[in-house]
Amino acid sequence: MRVIEDVVDDIPVVLLIPETLSADRELVLWLSHLGGSAEKERPTMTRLAERGHPVVSFDPPEHGRRATATDARVFAAEVLAAFRLRMWPLLGRTTLESMRVLTWAQHRLDRVGPVLAGGVSMGGDVAIALAGVDNRIRRVAAVGSTPSWERPGMRSLTDSADLLDQGEADPYSAWFAAQLDPVRHLDHYLRDVGIAFELGGEDNHIPAGNAQDFRRALVDRDPAAGERVRITVRDGLDHFGVTTDQDALEAAAEWLTTPA
């Protein structure tokens, strides 16, 4: 397997290319959780590449090699404490950068056409948003993720009794949500794009109800669009549990790499 590391418009990227690469194995974009990095997602990237797919990832703003804090957990806690002000621009900028990175990877691979996307927690949120604005995305796998940037019912990662105060957005952060929040643009998901959610039954940080409400809203507009959304709720798993669960990650990889 070849590993290519580069910097694209100040974005650190990594691309894994299988030794044998066939035209029917689509490019996969796989993204990390809040406070994570492309390097931390290398095991899942390798899992996908071993199935014959080229896989690309990158460090989102303020993450990995672009980190502005020395402690990723402290950084994540600070973002969650001012969720709408800080998380919405982070989701938005990462979504826009994903389009740039995909174009770079396609040029490196000398290919065009459909692309697969997925990720863990924040990374899955971005993949879902990306599918709403980039028609190259054919399938999405989101592990412990939500299609709603407002995250109804979001509770603390450390205390499930603590309903998080999301704070207020400023015009900058509100703009990203207005443009890219999937639940505000349901019509963008009426096209032929499949989305698989892997969710924890005990996840109080990103409740399964967020995805279930999204699917119901799509069904109201077009039953076929709702049928393209698959939701798997894994009993007994909280947010940390589902985002590290090997069965959930394997199911996400299988969903992405199953031929159309």
Side-chain angles (χ1 to χ4, degrees):
M1 183 183 305
R2 282 201 296 147
V3 179
I4 297 175
E5 295 191 11
D6 204 345
V7 177
V8 181
D9 293 347
D10 296 324
I11 307 166
V13 300
V14 57
L15 174 65
L16 305 187
I17 304 176
E19 291 297 333
T20 301
L21 183 60
S22 59
D24 64 342
R25 295 293 191 271
E26 295 142 308
L27 171 65
V28 181
L29 171 71
W30 187 263
L31 296 170
S32 183
H33 57 84
L34 176 64
S37 65
E39 184 60 33
K40 289 183 177 179
E41 293 305 314
R42 187 66 68 91
T44 301
M45 293 176 66
T46 300
R47 186 196 304 255
L48 291 161
E50 287 174 345
R51 293 169 179 253
H53 291 259
V55 187
V56 67
S57 188
F58 65 94
D59 292 332
E62 302 182 78
H63 286 68
R65 287 167 285 178
R66 306 164 78 183
T68 55
T70 56
D71 189 321
R73 291 186 179 184
V74 171
F75 165 73
E78 291 174 348
V79 172
L80 292 175
F83 187 82
R84 297 185 180 188
L85 183 67
R86 296 193 59 182
M87 188 67 164
W88 285 0
L90 182 53
L91 288 168
R93 292 171 63 194
T94 307
T95 301
L96 298 178
E97 289 185 354
S98 293
M99 291 190 281
R100 179 68 186 92
V101 169
L102 284 175
T103 298
W104 169 84
Q106 286 186 321
H107 286 168
R108 287 300 299 256
L109 296 165
D110 192 24
R111 60 167 60 187
V112 294
V115 175
L116 312 170
V120 176
S121 194
M122 183 190 81
D125 296 356
V126 170
I128 299 161
L130 181 64
V133 294
D134 190 332
N135 287 338
R136 290 176 292 183
I137 307 302
R138 181 177 71 82
R139 271 192 179 177
V140 170
V143 182
S145 306
T146 174
S148 173
W149 287 17
E150 294 189 351
R151 293 191 180 183
M154 179 174 62
R155 295 182 180 272
S156 169
L157 285 166
T158 56
D159 182 359
S160 62
D162 181 14
L163 185 66
L164 287 180
D165 179 358
Q166 299 189 20
E168 298 297 329
D170 66 1
Y172 177 72
S173 57
W175 183 89
F176 283 107
Q179 301 301 315
L180 299 170
D181 183 359
V183 299
R184 305 190 198 190
H185 298 283
L186 291 170
D187 289 349
H188 293 180
Y189 299 87
L190 300 182
R191 68 180 185 87
D192 188 13
V193 56
I195 304 175
F197 291 90
E198 292 287 331
L199 303 168
E202 303 301 321
D203 188 348
N204 295 308
H205 183 64
I206 297 182
N210 288 193
Q212 291 163 344
D213 289 345
F214 177 69
R215 182 169 63 182
R216 281 192 289 268
L218 287 177
V219 168
D220 288 344
R221 287 161 173 75
D222 179 1
E227 291 173 2
R228 290 190 288 269
V229 177
R230 187 187 79 175
I231 299 174
T232 302
V233 179
R234 298 186 177 271
D235 294 338
L237 295 181
D238 62 9
H239 190 68
F240 289 123
V242 73
T243 54
T244 58
D245 183 71
Q246 292 306 305
D247 289 339
L249 292 169
E250 177 61 26
E254 183 176 354
W255 165 261
L256 287 179
T257 58
T258 298

